[in-house]
Amino acid sequence: MNSIIAASTTAGVVLSLLAYWIGTLLRKKTGWSFMNPLLISILLVIVFLLVFRVSYADYQASARYLSWFLTPATVSLAIPLYLQLERLKKNIKAILLSIFAGSLASMVSVLALSVLFGFTHSQYVTFLPKSITTAIGMGVSEELGGFPAITAVVIVVTGIFGNIIGETVCKALNVTDPVAVGLAFGTSAHAIGTAKAMELGETEGAMSSLAIVTAGIITVLLVNVFAMLY
Amino acid sequence: MKYLKQFGIILLVTCIGEIIRYFVPLPIPGSIYGLTLMFGLLCAHVIRVEDVKEAAVFLIEIMPVMFIPAAVGLIESWGELQPILIQTVIILVLTTVIVMAVTGKTAMIMIEKEKKNHE
């Protein structure tokens, strides 16, 4: 099996897409929010590689073409941001301050817990970008000398967790304004949280996608300072 | 041709972002420079939204599958994750709730304050 996968220039991509498709089917059939297509597809591919004894390198040889799209896709996030320009201008103070506070809270809590757990520097910087979108977070982790693969999984699971508990947390804290709800989802749970915010309403969704980009940029700017602290 | 042109523009801006990354000695991924540049060019009307929209929307829509290969890399880094699995779960749960609470509460206070100012 390993040599078949290794000989193909598309097998890794096909395997990934197939696994994702199964994930979306499971999600539709069950309707459970923890049946996240991305999480399911990651698990399926891992199981496939282990069962058929395919090495990660052979899978990655073709699957890396999927990752290749990540950089232009991240650049594309500028487009929805631009389309929200009017809304952005109107609520600029509340938006920037709350996303800044949220991003700061994320890194402060990761720092505090890393000190508490006695993490190494590499482990600490692996978790630092956990709340932001994978595309930016993995880049940050790599640049700072963390483990990008762990960062990727932590980010994805953070998104799914935020997606599931978001409504409960907002209700419990009396966060009711659609703008505030959207910002809370996007800052804490990036794109996967945004999917939930979109279900709640148009404003929630727009604010959440705005928060993905803004939190990403704020985190990139602050993360270098935090990396030096521990 | 339309999609090729749109994708071409996005790639061009991406490429410039990566070149900037090459010259600036900061641990900031090239994609962030590209994103900022694209936003600036749109605001300055150098690039029209119609020139990039469909390709951009498509790329954003299929973004989740792009994360699969990297996350599957967990197979390779499992050795690093396994000893800190419990700590990882604690960090994950705590920080997500904290960030959500801080962001949501700050936004609520700001919005209500502005509403009062208007009245």
Side-chain angles (χ1 to χ4, degrees):
Chain A
M1 200 65 186
N2 207 356
S3 53
I4 300 172
I5 300 268
S8 163
T9 54
T10 48
V13 178
V14 172
L15 179 63
S16 309
L17 293 181
L18 204 66
Y20 192 79
W21 178 67
I22 296 173
T24 50
L25 278 187
L26 280 175
R27 175 70 204 268
K28 245 188 218 158
K29 277 261 156 77
T30 60
W32 298 331
S33 29
F34 64 86
M35 279 286 179
N36 180 278
L38 183 52
L39 189 69
I40 303 274
S41 56
I42 293 164
L43 293 176
L44 284 178
V45 174
I46 289 179
V47 168
F48 183 92
L49 297 188
L50 291 177
V51 168
F52 293 100
R53 294 172 187 280
V54 179
S55 76
Y56 177 66
D58 284 331
Y59 161 75
Q60 178 72 349
S62 61
R64 68 193 163 96
Y65 295 113
L66 267 183
S67 320
W68 181 88
F69 281 98
L70 213 48
T71 317
T74 308
V75 174
S76 301
L77 288 174
I79 284 84
L81 187 61
Y82 175 74
L83 293 173
Q84 295 295 329
L85 197 60
E86 285 312 309
R87 236 200 208 108
L88 178 72
K89 280 182 185 162
K90 211 182 129 208
N91 294 299
I92 189 78
K93 261 203 252 161
I95 291 170
L96 285 183
L97 194 78
S98 56
I99 299 175
F100 181 82
S103 305
L104 199 65
S106 172
M107 286 184 279
V108 169
S109 45
V110 170
L111 173 65
L113 289 166
S114 294
V115 173
L116 183 71
F117 295 145
F119 276 2
T120 63
H121 178 76
S122 303
Q123 289 170 336
Y124 164 57
V125 295
T126 297
F127 289 99
L128 259 188
K130 70 166 278 290
S131 294
I132 61 176
T133 182
T134 323
I136 304 173
M138 275 176 60
V140 167
S141 171
E142 199 170 1
E143 298 272 356
L144 295 175
F147 306 103
I150 297 181
T151 304
V153 175
V154 170
I155 290 176
V156 170
V157 179
T158 295
I160 297 165
F161 182 64
N163 178 306
I164 299 169
I165 60 149
E167 260 188 296
T168 318
V169 172
C170 285
K171 266 194 195 128
L173 292 168
N174 205 19
V175 174
T176 47
D177 190 280
V179 173
V181 172
L183 292 172
F185 267 98
T187 310
S188 63
H190 53 91
I192 305 173
T194 302
K196 183 74 195 182
M198 297 255 185
E199 283 173 31
L200 296 177
E202 201 182 316
T203 313
E204 284 92 334
M207 281 300 133
S208 188
S209 42
L210 186 79
I212 300 175
V213 180
T214 319
I217 295 173
I218 290 175
T219 302
V220 166
L221 293 175
L222 289 176
V223 83
N224 296 304
V225 181
F226 270 90
M228 283 187 283
L229 291 179
Y230 179 67
Chain B
M1 269 316 278
K2 184 175 140 200
Y3 293 102
L4 192 62
K5 183 187 158 197
Q6 293 198 347
F7 191 51
I9 293 173
I10 293 171
L11 282 188
L12 177 68
V13 176
T14 306
C15 182
I16 298 172
E18 286 175 330
I19 294 171
I20 297 173
R21 157 81 187 85
Y22 179 81
F23 286 107
V24 182
L26 285 175
I28 294 173
S31 54
I32 290 298
Y33 292 116
L35 195 167
T36 316
L37 182 66
M38 179 67 92
F39 184 69
L41 291 172
L42 286 167
C43 289
H45 301 290
V46 177
I47 295 175
R48 292 176 306 164
V49 172
E50 307 89 79
D51 291 335
V52 286
K53 199 177 168 191
E54 282 89 356
V57 167
F58 173 71
L59 282 174
I60 295 170
E61 230 173 66
I62 63 162
M63 219 170 170
V65 298
M66 300 172 195
F67 303 132
I68 300 173
V72 171
L74 186 67
I75 288 189
E76 302 270 276
S77 5
W78 179 244
E80 275 94 33
L81 183 65
Q82 205 205 359
I84 52 164
L85 201 60
I86 296 165
Q87 290 93 321
T88 304
V89 174
I90 296 173
I91 291 184
L92 227 148
V93 172
L94 276 183
T95 51
T96 308
V97 176
I98 291 172
V99 176
M100 209 165 240
V102 170
T103 314
K105 264 300 178 199
T106 313
M108 274 309 277
I109 293 167
M110 293 286 293
I111 291 165
E112 275 171 3
K113 221 169 124 189
E114 269 171 41
K115 264 185 200 157
K116 264 185 200 155
N117 285 348
H118 280 290
E119 274 161 17

